[in-house]
Every structure is written in structure tokens, then in C-alpha cells.
């Protein structure tokens, strides 16, 4: 998988154009190089081997047409795509330059959005912070656009996300969604597949065609029985299909994964060489899966960093059920596999209930963290 | 790009030479089947405001070089647009690199002018005016 930051070279004698280009791409992972004439441009192109060149026509020392001719006659540079940037749009001029070999032609003056969109057709632009492998934190803000003509659905999602710093932007029409994405780049989009006039599918295509928003994850929401629209969404490439009525725990789980959010801090903390895993009072399928996803990597991390003490604090848990039992088995297995010492903290009520289950009847429990620590 | 809105009522008209300018003036020459020169003039304060908007600094701290760069580039864009239209009409031509004049009470005239066009454009509903002046001759 190619994770290299793309390189863009701007060859223009105007500092103003360089500044506008710099502003246009400030939110993207893109390495920018500047040259003020063709001679400098060829030198930078040879040294940096950029993925794309923006080339002005009228420049001192060596103009754009001569620079382009030299680029295309150099075996090492001839395959670099070139976009001409010029104030001169006459047909004759365009045809003359196109014959030498360019990928696109942008007429000055241009907007920052236009140049980002045209460059995005050639380069795989990634918005900063959205690149693969860079995890966000649960405490980080995120903007989630929800497009649904049923206000109750928007309210449900707002309620589900109320414990996070995420901002839910709810709109009732696709046009409002398009308007929002033209101004802001959301971290995630949820859209009802049953919006009128195939609105969700048109919205999807517009979002994917725009360089700024093409990497934003998009979830389609649909009632379970609407198989045809779900199938269409899947074949188009929607990142996930969420069925209604919404399972909010599952939805939160999918949203955090789609936004590459590290939720481990919600459960894990470290103090004086001891790692604490706090089991929340309410455990649903989302929490069970979430902790289960973290425990293996956290155990490995502990072993690699020389930490071998884990306190599993279940003192907030008042009722044991099969979800909790499964979670405990998962945690204990991971600790045993990697040789991590663990102690479990739980209330007397919790201890009584644990005895009733075959899987946890022999579990040694401590009243509080201090007693658990003493027992290591 | 430069966030300039030309107010209604501004227009380019046939006018008498010479023309008198003050402030910052960009000019680009045209040679070929169309021969001439286009001037784009504006008050120093407006030039500084436009340049600072594009360069991301304040009008009071922006350098003279940056203001000249912006006015030169804007003149290049206006002349480039003119060139495109002239080429499409059968009068191909090439452009010079823009240069910038600064000062007050500058008189501009052309010896071989056949066409003199000028206009005073009101900008962004302010008292600022942008002057455009073209001296040109078409080769038969």
C-alpha cells in the first residue's frame, strides 16, 4: 500500500500564485515545491521527481511552453503529469500547448477550491489527520453529517453520541448536505438510502467526485427489508450499511472504527507501572466488542514495554450476564496467553453472582484496587 | 481569487489620451497582430488590501514587493483574458512579463495609438476605484 505523501511542484513567477496554491492545499497531506521560472522548475523536477507539476505560461528566463517542451523531451521527467496555469485561454494557445502534452488547463483567476478539485483528479489527496494509520482520540472533536428526512433518526444519533465531543449536523434534504460538504469536510457521513429521487446515491457520487470529500466514509441507512437499495449502495461502494431500527451500540462501534478513533483510553489507564482496565457499569455488545478489540493489542503492548500487572476493575458492574462472562473469558485468555498477571476488583454482590456461573465461580475477587495491588 | 466585486454602473469607454494615474500601476505589453499596452491602476491602499488578502498578512505590514507582485499578476490576468479574445478574433499576439509603476500624477500616452479604451471601476461598494487603460493598434 502506497502511503507516501504526494509531491506537487508549482512553477510560476508570481509569489501570489504560490501563496494561493499553498492555501488551497494547506489541509491536505501534500509536499509542495515552488520554482519561479522554467529553469528553476526543471532543476526542482529533476531533484524531487514530483507527482504533478503546475506550470505557468508567461514567465521570465524560461517560459512555460519551453519548459513543457523540455520536460517532455527528458526521459526521466516526461511521464510527470502537467497542469498548465495561465491567464491566456485562447483556442489557438490551448491547442498549441495541448499538442506538447498536458493533463489539464486552468485559467487564471482561479479559486482555491477549483485548483484542489482539478489536482484531486490526478493525485490521491488525503486530508490531514485522515491518513491511514493515524488514529484519532475519543476526546478529539469530529463532525458527523447525518442526512435523513426523519428528524427522529437524527435525534437518536445525537443522543447516542451525546457522551462524545462529536458534533452531529442533521439535515433533512440532500441539497442541504451538499451545501454543508461544499463548505466543510465532515469526518463521517450517514445518509438515508430512501431519500427522494435517489438522492442518497446522487449525493454519494457527488461526494466521491470531489477531491476534498472523496475519502470521507459514508454510511447508508436503510430499513431491513429494503434489500434493493442496500444492494445498490453496496455495489456503489458505501462504507457500511446500517439497518433501521438503529442498534445504537453497533452504530457507535462502526462510527468509531470508520473514523479510526482510538477508544482504548475510555477503558485503559496506567499508574506507576500498573495498567488498569475499568469495566463500565453498562456493558452492551458495542462495549464488549470494543474492549475485546483492545485487549489483545494492549496485552502485547504491556509485555513489550515490561509491564506485567493488570488490574481489571469491575466494581461499577452490578449485574453479571453472559455478555460480561464472555468479556471476562476473552480478557483472561489474552492475559494467560501473554503471561500478564491480572487481578480482578469487584463488589461483594458481583462476587456472589460470579459464583453462580461455571466460567467465573473460581474467580478470585478483591474489594478494591489497593487490596488487588497488595496481592501481586 | 482577489475577492473584488465590480459595482454596477462601471464600464469601459472610448476615451481621450493621455491618461493620468496615481498609486500602483501594472502594465503588460502585447505584440503580434495586436500591438499595444494595458495598464491596471489602483490606489496604494486598495492594492495593499488585495495583496494582504491573498498573501495572508495585514495591509499595514505587507511589503512593497508583494503588493507589486499581486498588481503585476492581476494585470497579467486581465491582459491574458484580452489576448485570448484577440487570438480567437484572428489577431494572435504574445504578452510581455508584467512591470509595475509607482508614484503620483503619472501621464501615460501612446504615439501610435489607434484604439484608446479606459474605464474607472468602482470596487466592493467602496470609494476605491480601479482604472484600466488600453492603447492598441491592430495589424491589417
Amino acid at each position: 500500500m502506497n502511503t507516501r505523501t504526494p509531491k506537487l511542484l508549482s512553477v510560476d513567477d508570481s509569489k501570489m500564485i504560490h501563496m494561493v496554491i499553498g492555501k488551497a492545499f494547506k489541509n491536505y497531506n501534500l509536499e509542495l515545491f515552488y520554482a519561479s521560472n522554467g529553469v528553476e522548475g526543471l532543476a526542482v523536477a529533476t531533484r524531487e521527481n514530483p507527482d504533478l507539476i503546475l506550470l505557468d505560461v508567461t514567465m521570465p528566463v524560461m517560459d512555460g511552453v519551453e519548459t513543457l517542451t523540455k520536460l517532455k523531451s527528458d526521459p526521466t521527467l516526461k511521464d510527470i503529469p502537467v497542469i498548465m496555469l495561465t491567464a491566456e485561454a485562447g483556442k489557438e494557445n490551448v491547442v498549441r500547448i495541448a499538442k506538447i502534452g498536458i493533463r489539464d488547463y486552468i485559467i487564471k483567476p482561479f479559486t482555491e477550491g477549483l485548483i484542489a478539485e482539478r489536482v484531486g483528479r490526478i493525485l490521491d489527496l488525503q486530508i490531514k489527520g485522515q491518513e491511514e494509520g493515524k488514529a484519532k482520540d475519543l476526546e478529539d472533536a469530529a463532525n458527523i453529517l447525518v442526512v435523513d428526512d426523519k428528524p427522529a433518526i437524527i435525534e437518536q444519533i445525537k443522543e447516542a453520541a451525546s457522551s462524545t465531543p462529536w458534533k452531529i449536523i442533521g439535515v433533512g434534504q440532500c441539497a442541504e448536505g451538499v451545501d454543508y460538504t461544499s463548505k466543510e469536510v465532515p469526518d463521517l457521513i450517514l445518509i438515508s438510502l430512501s431519500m427522494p429521487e435517489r438522492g442518497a446515491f446522487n449525493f454519494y457520487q457527488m461526494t466521491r467526485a470531489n477531491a476534498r470529500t472523496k475519502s470521507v466514509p459514508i454510511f447508508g441507512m436503510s430499513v431491513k427489508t429494503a434489500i434493493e437499495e442496500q444492494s445498490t449502495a453496496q455495489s456503489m461502494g458505501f462504507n457500511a450499511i446500517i439497518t433501521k431500527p438503529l442498534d445504537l451500540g453497533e452504530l457507535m462501534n462502526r462510527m468509531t472504527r470508520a473514523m479510526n478513533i482510538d477508544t482504548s483510553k475510555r477503558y485503559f489507564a496506567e499508574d506507576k507501572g500498573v495498567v488498569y482496565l475499568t469495566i463500565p457499569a453498562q456493558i452492551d455488545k458495542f462495549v464488549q466488542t470494543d474492549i475485546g478489540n483492545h485487549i489483545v493489542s494492549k496485552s502485547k503492548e504491556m509485555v513489550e514495554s515490561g509491564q506485567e500487572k493488570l488490574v481489571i476493575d469491575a466494581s461499577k458492574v452490578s449485574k453479571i450476564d453472559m455478555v460480561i462472562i464472555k468479556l471476562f473469558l476473552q480478557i483472561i485468555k489474552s492475559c494467560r496467553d501473554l503471561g500478564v498477571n491480572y487481578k480482578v476488583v469487584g463488589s461483594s454482590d458481583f462476587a456472589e453472582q460470579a459464583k453462580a456461573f461455571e466460567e467465573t465461580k473460581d474467580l478470585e475477587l478483591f474489594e478494591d484496587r489497593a487490596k488487588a495491588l497488595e496481592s501481586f | 481569487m482577489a475577492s473584488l466585486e465590480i459595482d454596477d454602473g462601471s464600464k469601459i469607454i472610448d476615451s481621450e489620451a493621455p491618461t493620468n494615474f496615481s498609486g500602483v500601476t501594472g502594465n503588460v505589453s502585447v505584440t503580434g497582430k495586436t500591438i499595444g499596452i494595458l495598464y491596471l491602476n489602483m490606489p496604494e491602499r486598495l492594492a495593499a488590501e488585495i495583496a494582504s488578502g491573498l498573501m495572508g498578512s495585514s495591509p499595514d505590514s505587507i511589503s512593497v514587493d508583494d503588493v507589486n507582485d499581486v498588481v503585476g499578476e492581476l494585470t497579467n490576468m486581465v491582459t491574458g483574458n484580452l489576448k485570448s479574445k484577440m487570438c480567437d478574433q484572428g489577431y494572435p499576439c504574445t504578452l510581455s512579463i508584467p512591470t509595475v509603476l509607482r508614484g503620483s500624477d503619472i501621464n501615460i500616452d501612446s504615439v501610435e495609438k489607434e484604439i484608446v479604451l479606459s474605464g474607472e471601476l468602482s470596487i466592493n461598494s467602496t470609494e476605491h476605484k480601479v482604472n484600466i487603460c488600453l492603447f492598441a493598434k491592430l495589424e491589417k
Side-chain angles (χ1 to χ4, degrees):
Chain A
M1 194 177 291
N2 181 19
T3 55
R4 186 177 71 84
T5 304
K7 292 179 178 180
L8 175 70
L9 168 61
S10 167
V11 186
D12 200 305
D13 60 327
S14 169
K15 190 179 166 189
M16 166 188 131
I17 296 297
H18 291 320
M19 293 292 286
V20 173
I21 289 170
K23 279 200 279 182
F25 295 105
K26 70 173 192 278
N27 293 326
Y28 294 95
N29 282 305
L30 190 66
E31 208 173 341
L32 285 164
F33 299 91
Y34 301 103
S36 58
N37 59 58
V39 173
E40 275 182 30
L42 288 170
V44 178
T46 305
R47 193 181 70 228
E48 299 294 341
N49 192 25
D51 299 282
L52 178 64
I53 298 174
L54 298 174
L55 185 58
D56 184 25
V57 174
T58 311
M59 291 183 290
V61 187
M62 184 190 287
D63 69 14
V65 176
E66 190 182 349
T67 308
L68 182 64
T69 308
K70 286 190 186 300
L71 275 170
K72 294 299 167 190
S73 60
D74 184 328
T76 60
L77 304 176
K78 69 182 173 61
D79 294 328
I80 300 173
V82 174
I83 295 179
M84 292 303 279
L85 268 184
T86 176
E88 304 164 33
K91 272 184 227 156
E92 201 175 291
N93 200 39
V94 174
V95 170
R96 182 171 58 103
I97 293 170
K99 277 182 182 167
I100 310 172
I102 53 168
R103 285 287 287 274
D104 208 343
Y105 200 97
I106 297 176
I107 310 296
K108 295 176 185 175
F110 53 83
T111 62
E112 291 164 21
L114 177 102
I115 198 156
E117 194 257 322
R118 296 288 190 87
V119 168
R121 289 183 193 175
I122 298 170
L123 299 182
D124 185 16
L125 293 178
Q126 293 280 339
I127 291 172
K128 281 180 184 167
Q130 284 187 355
E131 63 271 36
E132 285 179 53
K134 187 173 178 184
K136 278 186 164 190
D137 203 275
L138 250 188
E139 288 162 15
D140 289 334
N143 288 338
I144 298 168
L145 175 66
V146 183
V147 186
D148 200 311
D149 49 5
K150 313 284 185 300
I153 295 290
I154 295 172
E155 285 311 310
Q156 273 184 301
I157 296 169
K158 280 186 180 172
E159 178 63 29
S162 59
S163 60
T164 70
W166 305 343
K167 186 179 172 192
I168 307 292
I169 302 102
V171 296
Q173 292 177 16
C174 290
E176 292 175 89
V178 172
D179 189 42
Y180 179 81
T181 54
S182 69
K183 294 174 198 150
E184 300 282 336
V185 179
D187 297 276
L188 176 68
I189 298 170
L190 285 86
I191 185 164
S192 168
L193 296 179
S194 61
M195 296 299 283
E197 296 170 355
R198 292 176 55 81
F201 304 112
N202 295 334
F203 178 87
Y204 178 87
Q205 283 172 328
M206 287 174 74
T207 309
R208 286 288 175 263
N210 185 327
R212 294 168 69 242
T213 54
K214 69 178 181 183
S215 305
V216 177
I218 304 179
F219 288 5
M221 296 185 290
S222 164
V223 292
K224 280 178 183 163
T225 50
I227 306 296
E228 198 180 327
E229 66 185 26
Q230 289 175 30
S231 168
T232 306
Q234 266 167 347
S235 62
M236 285 179 78
F238 275 71
N239 296 74
I241 308 296
I242 306 292
T243 53
K244 296 177 185 175
L246 300 175
D247 175 341
L248 295 175
E250 176 64 12
L251 176 64
M252 288 295 286
N253 195 357
R254 286 188 167 208
M255 283 160 63
T256 51
R257 273 189 282 156
M259 291 189 288
N260 198 15
I261 288 173
D262 177 10
T263 54
S264 65
K265 285 184 185 167
R266 182 186 273 180
Y267 317 107
F268 291 92
E270 191 202 323
D271 186 28
K272 294 171 188 162
V274 180
V275 175
Y276 294 90
L277 164 55
T278 305
I279 311 287
Q282 298 294 325
I283 300 192
D284 52 21
K285 207 176 156 194
F286 165 63
V287 174
Q288 185 212 335
T289 314
D290 205 24
I291 295 177
N293 287 341
H294 289 304
I295 189 65
V296 175
S297 57
K298 200 72 190 175
S299 305
K300 279 185 190 164
E301 202 181 292
M302 286 176 68
V303 173
E304 280 168 6
S305 59
Q307 294 166 314
E308 52 185 29
K309 294 176 185 171
L310 174 71
V311 174
I312 305 162
D313 188 346
S315 55
K316 289 180 185 168
V317 179
S318 56
K319 188 172 180 298
I320 296 186
D321 57 16
M322 282 318 290
V323 174
I324 299 237
I325 299 289
K326 280 184 188 169
L327 177 61
F328 264 89
L329 291 179
Q330 214 173 345
I331 296 168
I332 290 166
K333 182 178 184 307
S334 184
C335 290
R336 285 182 179 156
D337 286 351
L338 288 159
V340 172
N341 289 324
Y342 66 91
K343 304 291 174 190
V344 183
V345 176
S347 64
S348 54
D349 192 28
F350 182 92
E352 279 303 311
Q353 291 182 58
K355 282 177 191 162
F357 290 88
E358 181 62 29
E359 295 87 346
T360 51
K361 65 181 169 54
D362 299 324
L363 197 64
E364 190 185 5
L365 284 160
F366 296 88
E367 281 174 42
D368 53 37
R369 290 186 176 196
K371 289 201 168 63
L373 282 177
E374 281 171 17
S375 70
F376 276 116
Chain B
M1 185 185 252
S3 305
L4 296 179
E5 290 287 336
I6 296 173
D7 298 342
D8 290 345
S10 299
K11 60 184 178 184
I12 306 286
I13 51 160
D14 284 325
S15 64
E16 297 294 322
T19 303
N20 187 281
F21 289 144
S22 290
V24 188
T25 308
N27 64 86
V28 170
S29 301
V30 182
T31 56
K33 292 261 184 188
T34 312
I35 301 165
I37 186 162
L38 184 140
Y39 293 91
L40 182 79
N41 162 266
M42 63 188 78
E44 193 139 350
R45 183 67 195 174
L46 176 61
E49 284 174 8
I50 295 169
S52 61
L54 287 161
M55 302 286 202
S57 54
S58 92
D60 298 318
S61 62
I62 192 153
S63 71
V64 168
D65 283 348
D66 284 350
V67 174
N68 288 352
D69 180 85
V70 168
V71 173
E73 187 59 29
L74 291 177
T75 313
N76 184 46
M77 288 179 198
V78 173
T79 320
N81 196 274
L82 172 74
K83 175 195 163 171
S84 302
K85 289 184 166 49
M86 296 310 292
C87 289
D88 291 345
Q89 294 292 318
Y91 295 95
C93 49
T94 55
L95 304 184
S96 72
I97 304 294
T99 53
V100 176
L101 301 167
R102 280 176 165 268
S104 57
D105 205 17
I106 300 170
N107 276 295
I108 296 166
D109 197 1
S110 168
V111 180
E112 291 189 63
K113 72 237 174 196
E114 283 178 2
I115 301 164
V116 183
L117 294 172
S118 70
E120 189 183 66
L121 311 175
S122 300
I123 300 296
N124 297 354
S125 303
T126 64
E127 77 281 8
H128 293 313
K129 307 281 185 205
V130 170
N131 298 293
I132 294 181
C133 178
L134 171 73
F135 297 102
K137 188 173 89 167
L138 301 179
E139 206 165 272
K140 302 288 188 278

